[in-house]
Structure formats: structure tokens, C-alpha cells
Amino acid sequence: MNKLAIVYVIITLICCLRAFQLYFSSTQELRSVEGHSWLPSSKKLNFTRESKTIDRLKNDSVVLGTESENMFYFIHVTKFATDLHLSRFRPKGHTYHFLHFIQSILPVVKPEFVVVTGDLTDAKDKKRITSQQYIDEWDVYQTAIKEKVTVDWYDMRGNHDCFDLPSWKSRVNYYRTHGNSASLIEQGKGVYSWQINQPIGKYQFVAIDACPKRGPSRPLNFFGYLTSKTMDQLENALISKPYNHTFVFSHYPTSTMVFGVSKKGRTFRDLASHYSIYFCGHLHKLIAGLGDVLKSYDPVTKSLELELGDLKEHGLYRIVAVDHDLISFVDVQLPLDQIPKKGPVNSQGLVQPMQDDKIIWPNPVQPAPAILVTNPKDARFSLPSKEPLWRIRQSSHIRFLVFSNETIDKLQVEILIDGKLHSHEASFVGNTKNPLWAAPWDPILFEDRKPHQLTVRVTTSDAVVGISNTVFRVDTHRIKIGGGSGEFIIKSKMSTVLQCITIFAMSVMLFLLLIPKFFAPQYETDVYSKKRINRLLLRIHTIDQITAKTPYLKLQKSILTWSFRFLQLPQDQPIVWHFTFIYILALLTLPWFRANFIPSGDTNAERYGIFYMWGMVFGGEWVPIADTWMFAAEQVTLDVFAFFFLVTWRGTDASDLLCRGVVHQNQRYASDTKAALTPTTTVKVKHRRQLNEMAWFKGLEVVYWLWRSSELVALSSFYGGIWPTLVQNINVYWMLFSGYTLALGKNGVLCKRKKQKHRLLVVVEGCIACQQHETVILLVEETEKKLPLNDDSTALHYNSSASVNATTLTQEEEQQKIGFMNISTSSGSSSCSSSTPFDGLPHVKSRKRQLKI
């Protein structure tokens, strides 16, 4: 057993213990001080609307009809706007979309209340590099609400609202002075709620502020988290009383949050079964259509999570209705074709739509009719365990809300089911508060256990058309949302995925670094390890000698080849091995860099933070923000693992592992007479260059290194410049080392190897083809040395097959399916030829060769 290898393993284990201690410290706020923090609670909470309640309600006689006065139902219109991003630098969208929303949409929809789920301001500079809180952006937000909004308005912070924010009580926390619900968040310690009572039941709405307690400037401020104390507040809000439905609002999707554990040991997943829908924003529909459908259903908690695109660019808002406990919603877009692409700016090029402390309102726009079907509801977003879906089958009318500037008599309504015109016309049955329309139907006709499509088309007098499409079923079964990548993203736990990627990559690299210390030869007298390496090469040569290689053999050879490269790394490139080993352990246990994360802080303890893979530290206090894992996953995979792979690849090339006895088209011995006369002529094999030896590939390596280095330079532009972000950054020194190794290390970009095109290959002990090949070469060279060269007209003849046959094969060697390369040289137009019998055994033709004297 290699004692030095055991020492390296012990060092690794000690560093792993240190890493666990850092993880334990960084997540202290996420665990309850009263215990029960690691295991979820097995107790069922009280005051939940369980399946027994739903079963009992199945016998009700509620019929969704037309009489709005005598119906036992409630129509609740809730409108959400998310990600406003009021910006002093962005005349396109942003602030003007927000003003149009208040000016032209609220008077039409007339909701019970409005909830804005964060990112109230943009908080970015003109070049979108740095970030800070601008008081004029908050002034526009606060003034616009005071001037025009007449309904209840609830809001909460998003990550942009806590960019460059030292603490909640900081002077630059303008949400505390300008936010409409700031006092509720402060009183509720991050969670507040409100209720609405209706004859049919009670409904609760819970808002969560998940911003970090210390908000770094962008870009390392993307994830939110709930501490154990916040989880206690959320638990109390969700289980305090029974409600028909509970709705939860937060800026962050659950996929971009880190959740603590309540003092009773309950996780967020335990509490999620106590609400119906989780509304959020933040992801802005992502890019390239990945987030067009950021909606998901959790079959465990039996709840929905619905992300809404932003108002700043896409102009989106959502209307939600609750009709007899059936929840429906529709995402509506502002009439962007009526809104100028760029709004007015002042002489300094800033967006400041205020004069004398009053808003300069844009001209109103005329939105198309917005349609929200409440019965039958969309089966993709049904909640079988929390909604009375049987009421769809019991209903007598199709019901939908129409929001339009037009009067009722000027609207033309058309209903189609499965593309066929509905036989009954719709009529207005609502009032000024609830613009309800209804049309008779027979749901029994559609009880075939198949999905159907309901289309409602509303046309105004100006020929402006609003369309709504609803996929429904009347048998209470759900339909898959079919959100594709968006649904997958909203369901995933990004922080957990990033942690797994980072830890897995580092574990793989440590494994590949430590294994050679046990199995590769560490000194010249290590006979057993050398035999192990020789057996590995022998297996590679055996595969090389097979003419028709299957995909399995090619894969096997690749695995063996890379195994050889990693085993040779400590001996072949010891500096690379030691530096990589030390660097990976440093990433696990040491701070990565120190930076000015919060420039608006009043003290150095508020401004400067220390970055660990496990979290950030400000003034000795941990902030368990998952952005550190996002940065770590990028650095470990793209910087450390990628360059470790490239440097290891350069340890050997194709010729180092090629069997000498393999026949190739470009493999020839000196055959013509003049070449034989040259004193320096030797029998060699043409060097086959690997992919990483190509000039274009080396150019790509340079470009890749420059790109990764520029990312670190960009990081310094966000957080304080060269000092301390670059100078006190261990990643910078890794990039310098990797750049030096790629340029001037073994087989580096700037290194020129001698005799690259004609390299002599290594003979592997035990490889019959290599030994036979070497024997023939020695015989030819000895013969050429002994024969004097005098006259071209005289030549001696010898039988090459006799020389080959002099190398006696044992019975075991003859059984190996190894091809043998023959040497055949003659004067004039003579050429090399070889033949191999069908059984693959070596066969040498007897051919005389003239040697000129």
C-alpha cells in the first residue's frame, strides 16, 4: 500500500469535514433551534380541507346557472401584475407599461384588489452593469398608485428591489418608505395575509417576502430564501383557520428558493398541501421560448404553481376568478400595438414622467375584450382534491366574464365547442361589478372521458376581437399541462441541482487525482504497478489489432486510453497534479474571494463580503443565498474541470498508445533503393495527430481561456474593480496557472515538439505484434549494416520470411488474433504487400528482396 496515497486521502477527508462544518454554519438560519430540523414531520396538520370534506360536498345541489342574485356562488376577480421594473433609463416598456396598466386596464377590469409580486423597480444603471436603488423610480411607483388606484393594492419585494441593500432598516431601502405593504411585511416579519369572506365561504391570501436580509448588487442576487423564523410565520398563516381556498404570493418561484424548516420540523413541501395555488414571477418567460408555460401541478401537495411573465416588456397581467370554488385565470397582454415603443425622456435622457410631484399620464389605450371562462374551467389547471369539479357536470350554463370598454349591447359573443358553433346564444346575466355572461348547455353530451375545446369570441363595434380557448372535461379528471421545458424548469429545484453539479464535479476530479496514487507506479522499482500499466496498454494494443471495430470496442478503447492518461498524470505532470489537488481542496474549505458586494453600505462590514461556495459572510454573519452555488457550478465545470480535462488529454497522443504491429495505409517501411542507401534511413511510423494537436483546436483553447478569463474581469466590474475582487480571488490564480500550462506546459500551444511527424512507438511487453515488428526491424538494420554498398548492379538475396520465422511463437501466442505487418521491399516498382488468413493468425509471405551492393 502506498503510504503517500493514504496521506493524501487523510488530507482530503479532513478538508471534507471542514467543508461540512462550513455548510452547517452557513445554513444555521434555515434550521430551527428547537430541533426537528432534518426530518420532515409525519403528523398531519389540522384545519386542512381534506378529501373527506370534498367527498361530503359531492352531495351538494349547487347548480351553476344564470341568476347572479340567487346563486350560491362567488365571483372573485383578482388581478396580478408582476415584474414592473420601473426604470429611469428604459423608455421602452417598463415605466410606461405600468402607467398604461393603471390608466387603461384597472378602470375596465375593476378587480377586488391588485397584488404586485415584486420587482417594483429596475434598479440598474444605464449600461445594465451595476445596480443600486434610485429614489426617483420609487417616487413614480408611489405617486402613480396614490393618484389613480382606487382598489386595494398589495405588493412585496423582488430581487431587484433588494439590489445593493445592506439591511431592511437601511436608508436605501426605499420599499420601506414607498412600498404599499411595507408595514404589513415589517409587522409580519416577512409574511402577511388578508382574507375575504363570502356567503359561500372564506378565502385567504398570503404574501411572502423571500428577499435576502443583505442584498448584494447584481448579478449574485437571483435566489431567495426563507429562514426558519419565516417558515414559522408561514406555518401559522397557512394552518391557523380553515378556508375554502388559500392563495400564496411570492416573487420567487419555488425552484429559485431555499427553504428552511419550521420549529415543528415542517418543510415548505409539508405546508404546500395547505394552499391551492402559488403565484409568482421573476423568470420573465426566460429566453428562446423556454418559459412560455411556466406552470406546474404537484401531485404530492396537490397544488398549482403559476408563474407570470413580466409587465415591463411583455405587458402581461393575470385575472383570476373564483366561481363557486372553481378557480380560473387568464393571462392578458396590454395592447402593445397602441403603445409607443419608446416613451418620452427629459433633457438628460432619463425617464421621469413627473412634473410638480405629479404623474404625466400617457394617453389611454383601448384594450381588446378580455375573456375569462369560469365554467367549465380549464382541465389543465384543475385541483381534483381541492375544487368541487363535479359542479361542472351539474351546471346548466357556460359562464364567462368579459372585460371591455364597450357597452353590453355593442358586444357580439360567439361560442364554439370542438370547432362547432354552439346552438345557444350567450346573454349578459351579471352587473356592473361582475360582468358575467352565460349560455345554456348540456354537459352530459361531453361526458365521454375525452378533452374538449371551448372557444369564446367577443367582437366590439370597432371589429376588435377577443378570443379565449379552454380545454375542459366534465368527468373531474385533470389534463396534463404540457408545458415542456417551462414546466420542467418550474418543477425543478435549481439550488439542489447546482449543488449536485458542483459537488459531483469536484468529487470526480478528486477521485481521478487520488486513484493514480494507489495504482500508478510512483518510483522506478515499483514492479507491480508497472505491470498493471503494461496490462492496460496490452489491452489497448489488442483492440488496435482488430480490423473491424464495433462501437463497443471503440468505447472500451476510449475508456482504457483515458484511464492510462489519468494514471500517468502524477508522474507525467506532477506540478499539474499537485496544483489541481490543492486548488480543489481550497475551493471546498477556503474563501474564494472578497468583494464590495453592497456599495451603498455605510461601513466596511456592510459593504464587503467574503464569498464561499457555501454562502456569503458579511461582518461574521452568514447569508445562505444560493447564488454562490450558481457561480460555483459555473466555475467548477467550465474552468476547473474543463482545463483539467484538456491538460490531462495532452499527456499522451495517439502515437504513444498505438500498437507498432498494426497495419495502416500510411505505414510503410523504406522500400525503394535510394532510400535504403541513405545512412539516416530508419524504419518509422508516421505520427497520427490527435484532435487536440490540431492548430484550429489549439486556437479554440486560446479563445476559450480568454472567454473564461473575461468572466472574472466582468465580475470585478460588478464588485469593486481589481482590488479586492481580482487580486484576492483564488480563481484568478487558477486561470493564470491553467493558461500557462496550456501555453507552455507539456505539448502546449507555444511548444514545438521535435520529430513530431516521425515518432518511434513504445514496444509493450507481451504484445506479440510489437515484438515481431521489433524483431524484423532489428534484422533489417543488422543486415544493412553488414552488407557493404559498392555497385548498384550487384545485389544479394535473402528470405525475409526466414528471418521472421526465426522468431518462434509459442502455442499460446499463436492463439492470439493478432495481425502482423510484413516488410517487402524491392527495386524499381516493387511495393509492400501482406496477407492475413481468414482466422486472423499471423502469416508472412516468403519473398526475396534484392539488396544492391
Side-chain angles (χ1 to χ4, degrees):
M1 182 66 70
N2 192 337
K3 295 182 180 179
L4 188 59
I6 297 177
V7 172
Y8 286 123
V9 171
I10 294 174
I11 294 174
T12 303
L13 292 176
I14 293 174
C15 290
C16 289
L17 292 176
R18 165 62 176 167
F20 179 78
Q21 184 266 329
L22 289 173
Y23 172 76
F24 190 84
S25 301
S26 65
T27 57
Q28 185 67 40
E29 275 194 305
L30 304 180
R31 297 189 303 276
S32 172
V33 295
E34 299 183 16
H36 307 288
S37 56
W38 296 105
L39 297 176
S41 173
S42 59
K43 282 171 123 184
K44 284 190 179 179
L45 303 177
N46 296 325
F47 307 117
T48 60
R49 188 170 184 176
E50 298 177 351
S51 58
K52 293 182 180 179
T53 307
I54 294 295
D55 293 338
R56 177 175 55 82
L57 291 175
K58 286 183 179 180
N59 297 321
D60 65 14
S61 58
V62 175
V63 177
L64 301 180
T66 60
E67 297 82 5
S68 59
E69 292 82 6
N70 300 322
M71 290 177 56
F72 296 96
Y73 81 98
F74 166 71
I75 297 179
H76 177 212
V77 181
T78 311
K79 194 173 72 53
F80 307 90
T82 181
D83 295 291
L84 303 178
H85 287 264
L86 304 189
S87 173
R88 69 201 303 251
F89 300 109
R90 308 285 174 263
K92 182 179 179 181
H94 293 78
T95 302
Y96 291 107
H97 281 181
F98 170 68
L99 297 180
H100 279 292
F101 168 76
I102 294 179
Q103 171 90 339
S104 303
I105 302 302
L106 284 185
V108 175
V109 180
K110 299 177 184 177
E112 289 285 335
F113 58 84
V114 176
V115 177
V116 186
T117 53
D119 279 359
L120 311 179
T121 62
D122 197 48
K124 291 182 184 178
D125 70 345
K126 190 172 184 178
K127 296 181 179 180
R128 301 188 181 186
I129 296 178
T130 60
S131 56
Q132 69 180 77
Q133 301 299 317
Y134 296 100
I135 185 65
D136 51 341
E137 295 178 354
W138 287 97
D139 288 338
V140 172
Y141 175 74
Q142 185 183 51
T143 307
I145 294 174
K146 288 181 177 179
E147 288 187 11
K148 288 277 187 179
V149 177
T150 58
V151 298
D152 292 336
W153 185 284
Y154 300 97
D155 57 25
M156 64 209 69
R157 294 186 301 168
N159 61 315
H160 284 248
D161 305 317
C162 60
F163 278 164
D164 189 19
L165 193 63
S167 65
W168 171 263
K169 295 183 178 180
S170 170
R171 56 180 173 79
V172 295
N173 183 17
Y174 298 124
Y175 175 78
R176 193 182 181 203
T177 56
H178 291 68
N180 218 49
S181 305
S183 60
L184 297 176
I185 289 181
E186 192 164 12
Q187 294 170 7
K189 298 179 180 179
V191 177
Y192 69 93
S193 62
W194 66 99
Q195 296 78 32
I196 289 184
N197 299 325
Q198 294 294 327
I200 199 173
K202 299 179 180 179
Y203 303 86
Q204 179 177 230
F205 308 87
V206 180
I208 303 173
D209 181 1
C211 289
K213 60 184 178 182
R214 296 179 185 265
S217 301
R218 64 181 305 267
L220 295 178
N221 191 339
F222 181 78
F223 288 83
Y225 65 89
L226 298 182
T227 64
S228 178
K229 294 181 180 179
T230 310
M231 288 293 295
D232 292 338
Q233 298 295 325
L234 180 62
E235 182 181 45
N236 294 332
L238 291 178
I239 69 173
S240 59
K241 294 180 181 179
Y243 294 95
N244 289 36
H245 285 295
T246 296
F247 303 94
V248 176
F249 308 92
S250 178
H251 175 69
Y252 301 90
T254 56
S255 59
T256 61
M257 289 182 67
V258 177
F259 297 102
V261 181
S262 70
K263 64 182 179 181
K264 295 182 179 179
R266 295 188 174 97
T267 64
F268 185 83
R269 194 174 181 85
D270 297 328
L271 300 177
S273 60
H274 299 275
Y275 62 73
S276 299
I277 301 181
Y278 180 95
F279 294 100
C280 58
H282 188 46
L283 295 182
H284 300 260
K285 299 185 72 172
L286 298 178
I287 58 174
L290 292 177
D292 287 343
V293 186
L294 288 169
K295 304 173 178 67
S296 68
Y297 172 78
D298 191 337
V300 177
T301 62
K302 296 177 174 56
S303 60
L304 285 169
E305 180 170 352
L306 306 177
E307 200 267 357
L308 176 62
D310 58 85
L311 185 69
K312 67 166 187 171
E313 292 179 355
H314 298 98
L316 293 174
Y317 61 95
R318 175 175 291 157
I319 305 174
V320 178
V322 181
D323 185 359
H324 289 78
D325 283 345
L326 296 177
I327 308 169
S328 303
F329 70 93
V330 61
D331 294 345
V332 189
Q333 189 174 45
L334 294 174
L336 299 180
D337 56 338
Q338 302 179 33
I339 301 175
K341 292 185 177 180
K342 290 187 178 181
V345 295
N346 62 11
S347 58
Q348 298 177 348
L350 301 178
V351 179
Q352 292 181 342
M354 292 183 64
Q355 187 175 5
D356 299 330
D357 295 331
K358 292 185 178 180
I359 297 294
I360 304 174
W361 293 95
N363 295 326
V365 296
Q366 303 298 322
I371 306 164
L372 174 55
V373 177
T374 62
N375 181 63
K377 74 161 291 178
D378 198 319
R380 294 173 297 174
F381 307 107
S382 62
L383 299 168
S385 64
K386 298 178 180 179
E387 290 180 301
L389 297 176
W390 59 88
R391 290 176 180 171
I392 299 175
R393 186 170 53 230
Q394 296 175 184
S395 65
S396 61
H397 285 73
I398 297 172
R399 301 162 60 87
F400 54 93
L401 301 168
V402 179
F403 306 97
S404 175
N405 283 325
E406 295 278 351
T407 58
I408 299 171
D409 57 333
K410 293 183 180 180
L411 297 177
Q412 296 180 1
V413 179
E414 187 180 24
I415 300 176
L416 295 91
I417 300 180
D418 295 334
K420 297 180 181 180
L421 187 64
H422 189 52
S423 56
H424 300 280
E425 292 185 357
S427 59
F428 182 79
V429 297
N431 49 46
T432 56
K433 186 178 181 180
N434 299 321
L436 177 64
W437 291 68
W441 80 319
D442 186 1
I444 304 300
L445 299 176
F446 306 98
E447 197 170 6
D448 53 2
R449 298 184 178 181
K450 294 181 181 179
H452 300 273
Q453 180 163 325
L454 170 66
T455 301
V456 179
R457 184 182 293 112
V458 178
T459 307
T460 66
S461 59
D462 298 331
V464 179
V465 180
I467 299 178
S468 172
N469 293 306
T470 303
V471 181
F472 71 92
R473 295 182 63 156
V474 297
D475 57 0
T476 72
H477 288 282
R478 294 191 73 257
I479 298 175
K480 290 184 178 180
I481 295 177
S485 58
E487 185 178 2
F488 173 78
I489 291 171
I490 207 73
K491 278 185 175 181
S492 64
K493 302 300 178 185
M494 292 187 185
S495 61
T496 303
V497 172
L498 293 172
Q499 289 174 356
C500 291
I501 291 174
T502 306
I503 298 300
F504 176 76
M506 299 178 80
S507 301
V508 169
M509 286 188 288
L510 285 175
F511 176 80
L512 295 175
L513 288 169
L514 291 175
I515 284 297
K517 288 295 182 180
F518 287 95
F519 297 101
Q522 304 298 319
Y523 43 87
E524 292 297 329
T525 58
D526 192 354
V527 179
Y528 295 104
S529 297
K530 287 184 177 181
K531 288 183 177 180
R532 189 181 296 113
I533 295 295
N534 189 81
R535 287 196 299 269
L536 181 63
L537 289 174
L538 184 59
R539 292 181 64 184
I540 296 174
H541 282 210
T542 304
I543 296 175
D544 273 341
Q545 293 156 12
I546 300 176
T547 305
K549 296 182 181 65
T550 62
Y552 171 75
L553 287 176
K554 293 180 181 179
L555 176 62
Q556 187 181 20
K557 181 183 176 182
S558 298
I559 295 174
L560 294 172
T561 300
W562 278 101
S563 300
F564 174 77
R565 287 170 177 152
F566 283 113
L567 288 174
Q568 287 293 100
L569 182 64
Q571 192 176 18
D572 193 44
Q573 303 180 77
I575 296 178
V576 171
W577 189 94
H578 285 91
F579 195 94
T580 306
F581 180 72
I582 294 172
Y583 177 67
I584 294 175
L585 296 182
L587 293 180
L588 282 170
T589 58
L590 299 179
W592 287 26
F593 59 91
R594 180 173 177 265
N596 187 6
F597 290 109
I598 308 177
S600 63
D602 296 327
T603 63
N604 285 337
E606 290 182 339
R607 289 194 297 268
Y608 289 93
I610 299 175
F611 183 100
Y612 285 85
M613 183 172 69
W614 314 99
M616 295 183 185
V617 178
F618 291 90
E621 185 179 15
W622 280 95
V623 177
I625 189 170
D627 294 79
T628 58
W629 288 103
M630 181 171 62
F631 183 79
E634 179 186 1
Q635 293 294 313
V636 170
T637 55
L638 299 182
D639 290 353
V640 188
F641 190 83
F643 288 112
F644 176 61
F645 170 83
L646 290 174
V647 172
T648 304
W649 194 3
R650 289 183 169 188
T652 58
D653 56 27
S655 295
D656 293 331
L657 304 176
L658 183 65
C659 178
R660 299 187 66 178
V662 177
V663 180
H664 296 282
Q665 291 181 356
N666 61 345
Q667 201 170 7
R668 298 287 185 268
Y669 287 102
S671 58
D672 77 36
T673 308
K674 294 182 179 179
L677 293 174
T678 307
T680 59
T681 300
T682 57
V683 182
K684 299 172 183 175
V685 178
K686 188 176 181 180
H687 173 63
R688 297 189 313 164
R689 292 195 298 174
Q690 291 181 145
L691 181 65
N692 64 334
E693 295 178 304
M694 303 293 183
W696 62 269
F697 190 89
K698 292 185 176 182
L700 287 179
E701 290 179 342
V702 174
V703 173
Y704 184 81
W705 184 87
L706 292 174
W707 169 53
R708 296 310 307 161
S709 299
S710 67
E711 292 294 309
L712 292 178
V713 176
L715 183 71
S716 67
S717 66
F718 287 112
Y719 300 121
I722 297 176
W723 178 269
T725 311
L726 282 184
V727 177
Q728 298 183 14
N729 192 332
I730 61 176
N731 300 288
V732 172
Y733 299 101
W734 166 259
M735 291 303 299
L736 292 175
F737 172 77
S738 60
Y740 175 84
T741 305
L742 290 176
L744 300 174
K746 184 176 181 180
N747 302 335
V749 175
L750 302 180
C751 295
K752 293 184 179 180
R753 293 183 300 176
K754 297 181 179 181
K755 298 181 180 180
Q756 221 173 19
K757 294 184 179 180
H758 300 288
R759 301 180 51 160
L760 290 175
L761 309 183
V762 179
V763 177
V764 175
E765 183 181 354
C767 179
I768 307 302
C770 284
Q771 294 173 359
Q772 292 175 343
H773 187 81
E774 182 69 13
T775 302
V776 173
I777 292 175
L778 293 175
L779 288 174
V780 173
E781 290 179 350
E782 291 177 1
T783 304
E784 291 179 348
K785 288 179 181 179
K786 292 178 180 180
L787 295 177
L789 301 178
N790 296 325
D791 194 317
D792 292 345
S793 59
T794 309
L796 296 178
H797 297 276
Y798 82 101
N799 193 326
S800 62
S801 62
S803 301
V804 175
N805 292 333
T807 306
T808 306
L809 301 179
T810 64
Q811 184 178 0
E812 181 182 357
E813 292 169 342
E814 290 176 351
Q815 293 175 356
Q816 297 186 21
K817 307 295 185 180
I818 302 175
F820 175 68
M821 179 170 56
N822 301 289
I823 301 175
S824 177
T825 309
S826 59
S827 61
S829 60
S830 62
S831 60
C832 298
S833 62
S834 64
S835 62
T836 304
F838 68 93
D839 59 358
L841 294 176
H843 176 73
V844 182
K845 287 186 178 181
S846 178
R847 178 172 297 183
K848 293 183 179 181
R849 178 170 119 184
Q850 275 192 342
L851 292 179
K852 296 183 181 180
I853 300 176

